[in-house]
Amino acid sequence: MQAARLHEYTDDMNDALTVEDIDRPDLERSDHVLVEVAGAGWCQTDNHVIEGMWTEYVPQELPMTLGHENAGVVAEVGDEVTLVEEGDPVICHPVQTCGICRPCRLGEDMYCENSAFNGLTTDGGFAEYLQTNERAVIPLPDGVDPTEIAPHADAGITAYHAAKKAVRELNPGDTAVVVGVGGLGHIGLQCLEAMSAADVVAVDIKDEALELAERLGATHTVNSSEEDLAQVVDDLTDGGGVQQILDFVGSDETASYATEIASQGGDQHVIGYGGHIHEPCQALVNGEVSLKGTLVGRYAELQELVALVDRDLVELHTSSYDLGEINDVAEALEHGEIEGRAVILPP
């Protein structure tokens, strides 16, 4: 089969991955599932993997097939698999968990002590077939296209996970800020709208992104390159600040919003990454503001997101590309030239 492989870390996205023929995966365990990939979303994390940013955090062995946002049709199942059968359309949680370690018993999929993360620690879905396990696949409702829903396997579930945490702290009439209405942010905004009665302020530096935010239900929009966000928030909240901030950018500048616009006791959910946090401890203490990281989401949360998609409460803006165009996609995303999510199609 054909697959897009990373052979060495590089900052040059033009020829980062090599499309080559490799063996189709064999089912190695009785709980394994082989999925014929219908679509695989490209993520900013793929760029970061190519750059070697994840080597300090997870074990990686090159060459490796990237791609952690995968959906398709079941091609083969292990002897003990009962959840799905050949021919079933599925979306794949990116993490294959063991189910028996302490974090798994607590339902914390992302903390599994024996996990395999497709496209990050083991081969992913920029290929014709993906090997995963039964605990990672979610059957899709009738009428849900696996090609179109693929990016929800990471972008969607990550945005949903952050929004769900934020919604727990939002009362009707409160204000939340969504920073960055891109591939993840436009999903997070819709999740907030679907699950809360809060006012949502969308922040971006692109007018087209803010126009999308308006169409998706944002109460207010702010172009932070032209307006003073802190002043806008002060005016909107009568000086009270916002209760929840969802930062889908994760730059040095956006990390500072926690102490600039959050209300006392407010939270900033850090979803995007690449920048650094340089905030005075006293400012965090005085405002009792919390910074909370967001690492993908639980299997059950992907099920919940699929339910929102099935009810037409969350729509995904995507563009499709052939596997042979994969380095063009990497380069385009590196320069912020892709709106919504890019989906790689197998040959």
Side-chain angles (χ1 to χ4, degrees), residues 4-78:
R5 308 275 281 173
L6 176 66
H7 284 264
E8 60 181 2
Y9 303 114
T10 178
D11 293 331
D12 184 2
M13 298 297 153
N14 282 309
D15 57 357
L17 302 182
T18 304
V19 177
E20 57 193 65
D21 287 317
I22 64 173
D23 292 337
R24 186 177 116 163
D26 292 323
L27 298 187
E28 299 172 354
R29 295 196 331 226
S30 58
D31 68 335
H32 273 171
V33 176
L34 185 68
V35 175
E36 184 175 3
V37 177
W42 185 279
C43 178
Q44 185 70 55
T45 293
D46 292 309
N47 290 61
H48 293 327
V49 172
I50 289 168
E51 294 163 341
M53 285 180 59
W54 278 92
T55 56
E56 294 182 26
Y57 300 95
V58 297
Q60 291 183 331
E61 183 177 337
L62 303 185
M64 179 174 64
T65 304
L66 300 196
H68 56 273
E69 297 180 345
N70 307 304
V73 176
V74 174
E76 188 180 349
V77 298

Side-chain angles (χ1 to χ4, degrees), residues 65-328:
T65 304
L66 300 196
H68 56 273
E69 297 180 345
N70 307 304
V73 176
V74 174
E76 188 180 349
V77 298
D79 293 339
E80 294 186 53
V81 173
T82 60
L83 178 63
V84 294
E85 59 185 22
E86 186 177 337
D88 287 348
V90 295
I91 186 170
C92 305
H93 191 287
V95 176
Q96 301 173 47
T97 56
C98 72
I100 59 174
C101 68
R102 175 69 175 168
C104 279
R105 298 294 193 188
L106 292 171
E108 295 291 355
D109 302 330
M110 297 308 303
Y111 307 158
C112 175
E113 297 170 356
N114 306 295
S115 67
F117 197 121
N118 292 119
L120 191 64
T121 68
T122 190
D123 284 340
F126 293 148
E128 295 178 65
Y129 292 90
L130 170 75
Q131 179 183 279
T132 183
N133 71 0
E134 184 177 26
R135 288 179 55 82
V137 294
I138 294 174
L140 293 176
D142 292 340
V144 175
D145 186 340
T147 302
E148 294 180 359
I149 201 174
H152 278 313
D154 177 38
I157 189 179
T158 301
Y160 177 81
H161 182 53
K164 187 175 181 179
K165 289 189 292 182
V167 165
R168 294 191 189 110
E169 306 298 329
L170 286 171
N171 296 309
D174 284 350
T175 303
V177 167
V178 172
V179 183
V181 191
L184 275 76
H186 86 283
I187 303 169
L189 190 155
Q190 293 176 82
C191 291
L192 285 175
E193 290 287 338
M195 297 190 296
S196 78
D199 291 333
V200 179
V201 180
V203 181
D204 207 292
I205 59 173
K206 296 180 180 179
D207 287 336
E208 56 268 29
L210 296 175
E211 291 169 4
L212 173 61
E214 286 185 352
R215 293 200 301 272
L216 296 177
T219 314
H220 305 280
T221 61
V222 179
N223 187 321
S224 56
S225 67
E226 300 174 356
E227 301 177 78
D228 183 342
L229 177 60
Q231 184 60 57
V232 172
V233 165
D234 194 65
D235 293 341
L236 289 175
T237 63
D238 294 326
V242 302
Q243 284 72 29
Q244 299 289 300
I245 305 165
L246 280 70
D247 180 7
F248 291 97
V249 177
S251 67
D252 289 10
E253 178 183 356
T254 61
S256 68
Y257 291 162
T259 55
E260 294 177 2
I261 65 173
S263 64
Q264 284 200 294
D267 303 314
Q268 176 153 337
H269 302 270
V270 182
I271 305 135
Y273 60 96
H276 300 81
I277 296 169
H278 306 281
E279 295 306 304
C281 293
Q282 184 176 355
L284 295 175
V285 170
N286 182 59
E288 206 168 29
V289 174
S290 298
L291 291 160
K292 299 182 176 182
T294 299
L295 180 63
V296 193
R298 303 179 183 94
Y299 178 96
E301 289 173 326
L302 186 52
Q303 288 178 310
E304 294 161 14
L305 177 59
V306 169
L308 290 180
V309 172
D310 190 38
R311 288 161 174 75
D312 296 323
L313 293 173
V314 174
E315 61 179 90
L316 192 59
H317 290 252
T318 64
S319 51
S320 300
Y321 303 85
D322 293 333
L323 186 64
E325 301 176 279
I326 199 161
N327 289 323
D328 296 333

